[in-house]
Amino acid sequence: MRRLPPVLGEWIDRTQPIEFIFEGQRYTGYKGDTITSALWASGQQTLGRSFKYHRPRGILSFANHDINTLMQAGEKLNVRADVTQIESGMSLTAINTFGSVMNDRASVLNYFSRFLPVGFYYKAFHDRRFFPFWERLIRNITGLGKADPSTPHISTPKRYDFCDVLVIGSGISGLSAALSAGNSGADVVIVEESDRPGGSGNYQIGTETHRIEKLNELLNTIENHSKIRLYTGTQAAAYYADYWIPLIDKERMTKMRSKAVIIASGAYEQPAVFHNNDLPGVMLASAAQRLIYRYAVKPMNRAIVLTANTDGYQAAIDLMTHDVTVVAIIDLRKESPEDPLKRTLQAKGIPIFSGYCLYAAKPNPGGDGLCAAVICPFDADGNPDVNFRQTIACDGIAMSVGWAPAANLLYQAGTKMRFDDRLQQFVPDLLPDGIFACGRVNGVFEFEKKWLDGDRAGSAAANFLGFQTKSSESGEAYRSQESPSHPWAIVPHPAGKNFVDFDEDLQLKDFYNAAQEGFDNIELLKRYTTVGMSPSQGKHSNMNALRILARISGKTPGEVGTTTARPFFHPVPLSHLAGRGFTPERQTPLHSRHTALNAKMMLAGMWRRPEYYIQSGKSAEDCIRQEVEAVRTSVGIIDVGTLGKLEIRGADAAEFLERVYTGRYSNLKVGMSRYALMLDESGVIMDDGVIARMGADRFYFTTTTSGATNIYRELSRLNTMWRMDCGIVNLTGARSAINLAGRYSRDVLSRLTDLDLSSAAFPYLAVRQGDVAGIPAVLMRVGFVGEWGYEIHVAAEFAPALWDALIEAGKVYAIRPFGVEAQRLLRLEKGHLIVGQDTDGLTTPFEANLGWAVKMDKPFFIGQRSLQIVGKRSLKQQLVGFMLDENFQGTAPQECHLIIDHNEIAGRITSIAFSPTLKRYIGLAYIQPQLAEIGTRFSIRLDGSSIAATVTPTPFYDPENDRQKTEVPQRQEVAV
């Protein structure tokens, strides 16, 4: 179809044909073909649809920047068709289509473009009445690719690398720079984005065929050089301080640390702006040359070359050499420098229209692509003179009207750039120490001069590092005399559709409208129009947008300036940025006991804990329910060794706790414990636990499982800062803890200890020390689950023996181990909150109904001043208990479901579960204070419907706490 005969240096292997599928149709290419080259060779020109108007799109740059040709390949989304090689059996579909790429139902948006002006979404969202409509509509029609949640984890290793000089870019200037630095003795690494080195030297040929020989000689020298390494298929994605650059290839990220950096990244060819400049078949001249010399594909049959520089004439020669009929050359310049290539083309009878512009491309009425181009001369003011229009039949347009330096890394490194009016591009003006530039990014475009400029930059880098080498000239020494970029390759058209940003479907008129609305600063213009904010990061559009704003504002491009360049300048897969799939986990000393009892383990913080204990033939819900019933009716046992366990000793121990926690501890009696609430400086809840006084200057206290490490670190910091007479010891790993809870817990424990366990001798909230099963222990009478219970703390190495003894002693009482899910349900029945679940990063004690634990009359505690300022009267939300109706049937709400009042969000659920004790759904929720009165009815939103609930006092179960305080007569045994 469009495959050329073998081309010298082609990147394909014709001995290995490959079949693949695109949009349900089978195609064939060769090994080495990209998706784009294989499809174009087969005659498929429409490769994708534009983002906003769903217009057909084909090749533009063919240089890893064609964002309108992204594709889906199974679970791989947003595959870049222009650089991704085909694979056998690959099945591809175009993204951003409704139907198919050739019959996209959403293309109707193209006819409604006048109703979708620049910034329309800002105006649409401004009116709250229509916000839901626009939100649903825009969510449905936007987005690139479809993520598959079942996609397996991708291993993305990281590695470190080091060198003296890092050269970014392997064009002629980059290779020359590397050779110069390597010959001086420096260790050099070259990074090349493409699969093969050489840059434009192996596809911008024209009549200079000797360039290929010189390039191959240079490559051969470098490949055999002991001091030079070449990384192909690798992107230098960003620049960070001290010459730290992430290198991204298909498999990994390499964290490169160099001592000097030479940026030879070249330049991005820029499109001309004219009516229908986005039709398939309209492409950059360099894209056409890449198709020919890399993949042996004919870009078009009858071509018009639009140019404003020598590169365009070279492209015309390349097209003609490979069987493309060049029907005309349109030169935007009225007077161009004497060019031997121009004379060569004129001698071949090619009509050259100097001082003309391309006014419009005409779409092919019988299929995709274009059928003709409309040209006209410039008038005296430089505007298109439409009175002298003429139409020329063609099926392709190759544009070569200018370049924009690939200077993103230079900007990120801190380079000061200036706009060179002669070159019509930004060039380095002041380079930071250790940063060097050469080639097109430095304003050097001629082949021989790029070679010399690279040699200069390599010598300069070697000199910077102290290697003895020749002196180097200024970076301006080899800059081109002829401007390779036209100052205004932008042609207005009354019908619009003259695109500046192909990714975002931004037209010329959009920029005038944005400026008229006040967005006439380059940074504001960028954000309002979204120019340069799509995946190609403005590589095609930023320079034209800058020129347009300069003309609107009456400034020069240098005065307008550029937008801020931030990492990454080229998209990097999230899998490459993610750290290793390594999450540290801890196991309690009782882990083997849990696995022996068939526990379903879960991750709580960094600890492995039993979620519930599996019973044969029973569902998870049934297992959890039976564990809850065991605690309520008999006795249960749970491993709580994951709690943070700290000890503080010293004369100032009580004063230290007074400052850190909201309650009073100076008056806490020895042998008693008290709830502890910790805030940050803003008055937000950080953690909670229990503080027990073991002696006059000794306290033992617990923290939440997830907060143990951070709380110990924070307390140590405060103690260092305050310099109080006390010391803090972290016993979390050294001690284990078991909670024995239930109406017969006292009976079970009495079998293993000589301690007096009566309520008179060991009351609620008391703490005692003694032996349990012959093991020294600290026992606390606390009750998170709302039943008579004991928290037994022992040295970690004795935990398994204690567990076994308690299980054995409790057999006659049908003792049952219970897991985290049952514990959470039991505490919910008591209305106890969990820090981090029923609180967030903004929750104060007053909002969480913990004001009783805050002693505002203390001289000081952390967060006190913030609470004094906030006060209780300014509450915006309040934690309440609620119940669903007793006869509720159906799908229950979940945590984080919203509470709605008069069609407005009035709160959210933090905890909810079905209580087997109360036989109904109960929960906790934050709600607006005016709705927090007991008995108030409110609605919970659930998938378009609503569920009624009622504010209910807490605790839901045993509101007088009799179960934790009233002794139960001993019972000798129950059925096992």
Side-chain angles (χ1 to χ4, degrees):
M1 302 266 302
R2 280 188 169 176
R3 187 74 69 177
L4 293 168
V7 175
L8 182 64
E10 64 185 22
W11 291 12
I12 58 174
D13 183 354
R14 297 175 186 255
T15 65
Q16 297 190 53
I18 294 177
E19 286 192 351
F20 66 102
I21 295 172
F22 173 64
E23 294 278 310
Q25 186 173 344
R26 192 171 300 277
Y27 293 86
T28 301
Y30 295 114
K31 183 179 181 182
D33 259 323
T34 68
I35 299 168
T36 292
S37 66
L39 289 174
W40 203 265
S42 300
Q44 177 67 39
Q45 291 195 127
T46 299
L47 305 178
R49 291 281 174 165
S50 67
F51 179 70
K52 186 176 178 182
Y53 300 135
H54 289 254
R55 290 170 61 90
R57 292 282 168 84
I59 293 175
L60 177 62
S61 70
F62 199 41
N64 207 4
H65 314 142
D66 288 353
I67 304 307
N68 293 140
T69 62
L70 297 178
M71 295 183 183
Q72 184 98 13
E75 64 195 20
K76 296 180 182 179
L77 65 161
N78 297 333
V79 172
R80 293 172 177 258
D82 54 344
V83 293
T84 303
Q85 293 187 9
I86 58 173
E87 300 173 3
S88 180
M90 177 182 278
S91 181
L92 301 156
T93 55
I95 67 167
N96 195 41
T97 63
F98 291 80
S100 68
V101 72
M102 298 305 294
N103 296 287
D104 184 4
R105 295 189 298 274
S107 61
V108 68
L109 292 170
N110 187 47
Y111 301 101
F112 291 93
S113 59
R114 59 178 298 186
F115 303 107
L116 302 172
V118 61
F120 79 93
Y121 30 82
Y122 295 117
K123 301 179 180 70
F125 290 149
H126 185 71
D127 193 325
R128 294 177 61 185
R129 294 172 300 171
F130 298 107
F131 186 99
F133 168 78
W134 285 109
E135 180 187 24
R136 287 192 297 270
L137 178 63
I138 292 175
R139 283 186 183 275
N140 286 335
I141 66 176
T142 57
L144 299 178
K146 296 181 180 179
D148 184 355
S150 64
T151 301
H153 177 75
I154 301 172
S155 177
T156 53
K158 312 292 187 294
R159 71 177 181 184
Y160 293 88
D161 202 353
F162 303 88
C163 66
D164 293 326
V165 179
L166 177 65
V167 180
I168 300 172
S170 73
I172 191 65
S173 62
L175 295 174
S176 177
L179 185 60
S180 177
N183 286 341
S184 72
D187 178 29
V188 180
V189 169
I190 308 172
V191 175
E192 170 54 47
E193 179 180 5
S194 299
D195 291 334
R196 297 190 188 184
S200 61
N202 58 28
Y203 62 82
Q204 285 188 316
I205 309 300
T207 59
E208 305 292 328
T209 55
H210 66 282
R211 294 181 181 182
I212 297 179
E213 296 177 3
K214 294 181 69 173
L215 180 62
N216 288 337
E217 289 176 7
L218 182 55
L219 284 171
N220 186 61
T221 302
I222 283 177
E223 288 173 359
N224 293 286
H225 202 292
S226 62
K227 302 294 290 184
I228 301 176
R229 290 172 283 158
L230 174 62
Y231 297 163
T232 56
T234 303
Q235 299 169 5
Y239 178 91
Y240 295 98
D242 302 322
Y243 318 111
W244 192 100
I245 294 181
L247 306 181
I248 308 297
D249 59 36
K250 294 178 181 179
E251 304 298 331
R252 67 178 60 82
M253 172 191 287
T254 299
K255 301 176 181 181
M256 172 64 77
R257 180 79 71 177
S258 64
K259 299 177 182 177
V261 178
I262 299 175
I263 296 177
S265 48
Y268 306 120
E269 191 161 26
Q270 299 295 286
V273 178
F274 53 86
H275 181 56
N276 286 335
N277 61 336
D278 65 330
L279 288 175
V282 180
M283 66 181 70
L284 299 175
S286 56
Q289 291 166 307
R290 288 187 183 96
L291 275 171
I292 292 170
Y293 287 104
R294 290 182 176 179
Y295 305 103
V297 175
K298 184 192 290 190
M300 54 203 72
N301 293 308
R302 293 174 55 82
I304 285 180
V305 176
L306 175 65
T307 188
N309 51 37
T310 299
D311 296 321
Y313 289 101
Q314 283 185 339
I317 295 291
D318 287 328
L319 290 169
M320 292 178 61
T321 303
H322 295 88
D323 199 31
V324 176
T325 301
V326 177
V327 296
I329 295 177
I330 314 301
D331 196 328
L332 296 173
R333 302 166 296 179
K334 289 185 178 180
E335 296 181 1
S336 58
E338 187 65 25
D339 192 332
L341 291 177
K342 184 176 181 179
R343 292 196 302 270
T344 299
L345 290 165
Q346 286 174 326
K348 293 179 178 291
I350 308 299
I352 298 176
F353 296 85
S354 296
Y356 273 66
C357 67
L358 209 158
Y359 186 62
K362 300 185 71 172
N364 186 355
D368 58 354
L370 68 152
C371 65
V374 180
I375 68 170
C376 62
F378 285 123
D379 61 19
D381 298 323
N383 297 313
D385 190 343
V386 296
N387 295 318
F388 296 92
R389 285 177 293 180
Q390 56 180 297
T391 301
I392 302 175
C394 65
D395 68 348
I397 297 173
M399 303 176 287
S400 183
V401 297
W403 301 84
N408 307 69
L409 297 180
L410 285 174
Y411 282 113
Q412 291 172 23
T415 301
K416 301 297 183 184
M417 306 284 286
R418 66 175 174 83
F419 188 78
D420 189 305
D421 292 312
R422 176 174 56 82
L423 291 175
Q424 283 294 306
Q425 81 167 57
F426 285 92
V427 294
D429 190 35
L430 183 61
L431 288 160
D433 290 341
I435 304 296
F436 306 90
C438 61
R440 284 181 172 173
V441 76
N442 191 41
V444 181
F445 283 80
E446 291 83 4
F447 183 85
E448 288 75 14
K449 289 184 178 180
K450 285 193 287 186
W451 186 307
L452 295 172
D453 194 39
D455 183 68
R456 172 202 60 79
S459 298
N463 286 333
F464 173 76
L465 297 177
F467 293 95
Q468 297 299 318
T469 184
K470 60 187 178 183
S471 60
S472 56
E473 302 89 345
S474 163
E476 300 184 19
Y478 304 109
R479 284 180 184 158
S480 303
Q481 297 302 310
E482 175 196 353
S483 171
S485 299
H486 196 276
W488 189 253
I490 300 168
V491 179
H493 194 285
K497 300 299 190 296
N498 39 7
F499 292 96
V500 177
D501 191 315
F502 291 76
D503 301 6
E504 298 281 354
D505 276 353
L506 293 173
Q507 308 172 58
L508 176 60
K509 65 180 180 181
D510 291 329
F511 293 87
Y512 282 89
N513 291 338
Q516 186 180 26
E517 294 186 29
F519 299 93
D520 53 1
N521 173 277
I522 189 63
E523 293 285 5
L524 294 177
L525 183 78
K526 171 182 176 178
R527 283 152 182 82
Y528 187 64
T529 63
T530 68
V531 62
M533 294 175 64
S534 52
S536 72
Q537 293 290 286
K539 295 177 177 66
H540 304 138
S541 57
N542 280 351
M543 197 63 215
N544 277 334
L546 188 153
R547 294 183 193 277
I548 294 167
L549 182 59
R551 177 160 292 198
I552 292 172
S553 59
K555 299 177 180 179
T556 66
E559 290 172 330
V560 170
T562 59
T563 56
T564 303
R566 297 182 177 90
F568 294 99
F569 86 93
H570 193 75
V572 175
L574 289 176
S575 60
H576 283 60
L577 299 179
R580 297 178 184 176
F582 172 72
T583 302
E585 295 180 1
R586 301 184 68 179
Q587 298 177 356
T588 73
L590 297 173
H591 187 80
S592 62
R593 298 304 192 269
H594 302 316
T595 55
L597 291 168
N598 206 19
K600 170 71 165 57
M601 305 302 290
M602 63 176 287
L603 197 62
M606 65 174 60
W607 291 93
R608 280 285 171 189
R609 298 190 66 187
E611 183 178 355
Y612 61 91
Y613 294 85
I614 300 172
Q615 298 180 56
S616 178
K618 295 187 180 297
S619 66
E621 291 77 12
D622 287 340
C623 295
I624 295 167
R625 178 181 55 79
Q626 290 186 4
E627 291 173 11
V628 170
E629 290 175 351
V631 176
R632 291 283 182 242
T633 61
S634 181
V635 62
I637 182 173
I638 184 173
D639 177 6
V640 292
T642 60
L643 290 173
K645 295 172 282 292
L646 307 175
E647 188 170 303
I648 182 169
R649 298 189 184 209
D652 292 337
E655 175 61 22
F656 182 85
L657 294 175
E658 290 270 355
R659 293 187 182 189
V660 172
Y661 289 95
T662 61
R664 291 190 179 277
Y665 304 98
S666 297
N667 63 357
L668 182 61
K669 295 179 180 179
V670 174
M672 294 299 293
S673 65
R674 188 168 291 166
Y675 178 73
L677 185 67
M678 185 178 187
L679 312 180
D680 65 11
E681 287 84 353
S682 62
V684 168
I685 296 172
M686 281 183 63
D687 199 74
D688 68 349
V690 174
I691 294 177
R693 192 163 198 168
M694 311 303 293
D697 59 358
R698 177 186 167 212
F699 293 83
Y700 179 75
F701 59 104
T702 61
T703 72
T704 60
T705 293
S706 59
T709 302
N710 292 333
I711 297 304
Y712 173 67
R713 185 185 300 115
E714 176 64 8
L715 296 184
S716 298
R717 183 187 72 84
L718 293 172
N719 195 28
T720 302
M721 183 173 65
W722 291 338
R723 300 183 179 181
M724 302 184 74
D725 184 10
C726 57
I728 305 168
V729 181
N730 187 356
L731 299 174
T732 301
R735 283 186 168 270
S736 187
I738 297 171
N739 194 343
L740 185 70
R743 60 189 291 109
Y744 297 119
S745 58
R746 182 169 65 99
D747 294 357
V748 173
L749 187 59
S750 65
R751 292 168 172 258
L752 302 173
T753 183
D754 293 332
L755 288 171
D756 186 350
L757 302 180
S758 66
S759 59
F762 198 168
Y764 181 58
L765 296 181
V767 58
R768 299 289 184 265
Q769 297 184 75
D771 289 349
V772 178
I775 301 169
V778 173
L779 295 89
M780 298 183 184
R781 272 286 318 277
V782 293
F784 189 55
V785 299
E787 298 291 340
W788 190 292
Y790 304 88
E791 205 169 274
I792 308 169
H793 294 244
V794 297
E797 60 266 32
F798 297 132
L802 176 63
W803 177 274
D804 294 341
L806 290 169
I807 291 289
E808 183 63 29
K811 280 184 177 179
V812 295
Y813 300 97
I815 192 171
R816 182 188 290 272
F818 63 100
V820 172
E821 286 301 321
Q823 182 192 45
R824 289 177 175 174
L825 182 48
L826 290 161
R827 67 87 198 178
L828 181 58
E829 291 179 341
K830 288 296 295 179
H832 294 155
L833 63 80
I834 297 177
V835 173
Q837 177 173 324
D838 300 300
T839 68
D840 57 26
L842 298 173
T843 306
T844 67
F846 301 138
E847 292 173 327
N849 289 330
L850 292 176
W852 57 268
V854 180
K855 306 305 178 185
M856 294 296 292
D857 57 343
K858 288 202 308 181
F860 168 77
F861 62 84
I862 293 176
Q864 183 185 46
R865 178 165 175 76
S866 296
L867 292 183
Q868 289 171 341
I869 295 172
V870 173
K872 298 181 180 180
R873 296 182 180 180
S874 59
L875 296 183
K876 296 182 179 180
Q877 60 178 3
Q878 187 172 346
L879 189 68
V880 299
F882 70 87
M883 288 184 176
L884 302 187
D885 292 343
E886 191 170 6
N887 59 353
F888 173 77
Q889 299 288 332
T891 303
Q894 301 295 312
E895 295 165 7
C896 292
H897 271 166
L898 298 178
I899 296 168
I900 305 298
D901 180 56
H902 293 92
N903 293 323
E904 297 288 340
I905 297 174
R908 63 182 175 87
I909 296 173
T910 61
S911 297
I912 187 170
F914 182 80
S915 166
T917 307
L918 304 173
K919 309 300 184 187
R920 62 192 304 179
Y921 281 96
I922 60 174
L924 299 176
Y926 281 103
I927 198 168
Q928 293 175 353
Q930 65 269 22
L931 301 176
E933 186 177 347
I934 303 300
T936 302
R937 299 276 288 177
F938 61 84
S939 296
I940 304 169
R941 186 170 74 179
L942 178 65
D943 296 332
S945 61
S946 62
I947 296 173
T950 305
V951 178
T952 309
T954 57
F956 303 102
Y957 169 79
D958 186 26
E960 302 300 325
N961 292 329
D962 293 333
R963 305 275 293 192
Q964 293 174 287
K965 300 176 182 178
T966 305
E967 291 186 16
V968 178
Q970 278 195 335
R971 183 175 178 181
Q972 293 303 314
E973 64 180 62
V974 297
V976 178

